[in-house]
Amino acid sequence: MILLYRPGSSILHRSPAGVKLALFALAALALSVYPHDGWSIALVLVAVCALYAVARLPWRILLAEAWRLRWIVLVLGAALTIFVSPLIAWINTGRVVGIVLLASLLTLTTRMSDLLAVLHRLMRPLGRIGVDAESVAMTISLTITMIPVVAAFADRVRDAQDARGVRLGVRSAIPLLVLALRHADDVGDALAARGLA
């Protein structure tokens, strides 16, 4: 499994995982529900970039995270620009970018074991109705970590295409799917070896 946590001593690194998870959930909700305009989305993106600085993460990490989102930005932005308006495209694309960058920041500044413990505590009351809290917490944490992992796989596929001087277009999904399935098998084997699957 790819570990995303970057050790550090910033206030974000030292903050409790539960607090960070709650703030992330509130920020994602606010980004999704609040009726933003062009200026407020710009301020949100500046604030998210400032949080990376507060976490004392190198700028190259923020740039790498933003670069991984380029296809989402291009496809979503172009579709909304064509079918709705450039302003709506900016607002909605900015929302998606802001949420994904915040999710990446959460995984970069929080150990997965801490995040898993918080999720397990949150899910424990559901055990009364037959929900396996540990399985649900593990599933959520794996889902959070898989977003940047799959994005990294997409970068690898594209780099391999560039090195060979070919463009597969839609067929690029095939090697990406193979890498994702192979990674899923590795994660499954690791979980089984630890008695978690």
Side-chain angles (χ1 to χ4, degrees):
M1 186 186 292
I2 297 175
L3 296 178
L4 301 174
Y5 176 70
R6 299 290 181 112
S9 59
S10 73
I11 187 169
L12 288 177
H13 285 86
R14 296 192 313 268
S15 298
V19 172
K20 286 188 278 191
L21 188 60
L23 290 175
F24 168 72
L26 289 173
L29 184 64
L31 268 169
S32 302
V33 175
Y34 182 78
H36 289 282
D37 59 21
W39 287 107
S40 66
I41 282 294
L43 289 174
V44 164
L45 293 176
V46 168
V48 170
C49 292
L51 286 174
Y52 275 77
V54 169
R56 298 183 196 153
L57 294 169
W59 283 106
R60 61 181 169 75
I61 291 178
L62 174 59
L63 293 175
E65 294 297 322
W67 181 249
R68 288 183 182 142
L69 297 174
R70 66 189 178 279
W71 295 113
I72 293 174
V73 170
L74 286 173
V75 172
L76 181 61
L80 289 173
T81 299
I82 292 168
F83 295 110
V84 188
S85 73
L87 178 60
I88 296 299
W90 163 249
I91 292 170
N92 288 312
T93 304
R95 283 178 167 159
V96 172
V97 169
I99 290 171
V100 174
L101 287 178
L102 284 173
S104 295
L105 183 61
L106 176 66
T107 60
L108 286 165
T109 59
T110 311
R111 287 184 178 85
M112 194 47 59
S113 58
D114 296 340
L115 196 55
L116 191 58
V118 170
L119 292 171
H120 188 267
R121 282 197 303 273
L122 289 173
M123 299 296 160
R124 192 175 298 143
L126 297 177
R128 295 182 188 134
I129 58 172
V131 175
D132 184 355
E134 189 167 329
S135 295
V136 172
M138 180 69 74
T139 302
I140 293 172
S141 66
L142 287 174
T143 302
I144 291 171
T145 58
M146 278 306 294
I147 296 169
V149 169
V150 172
F153 289 158
D155 287 342
R156 282 175 53 187
V157 169
R158 192 170 38 264
D159 290 344
Q161 289 178 17
D162 291 343
R164 291 174 178 83
V166 295
R167 279 283 168 209
L168 297 177
V170 177
R171 291 176 295 166
S172 298
I174 295 170
L176 178 60
L177 183 61
V178 169
L179 286 171
L181 290 174
R182 188 178 300 158
H183 179 72
D185 283 342
D186 292 343
V187 170
D189 290 344
L191 292 174
R194 290 166 175 79
L196 298 172

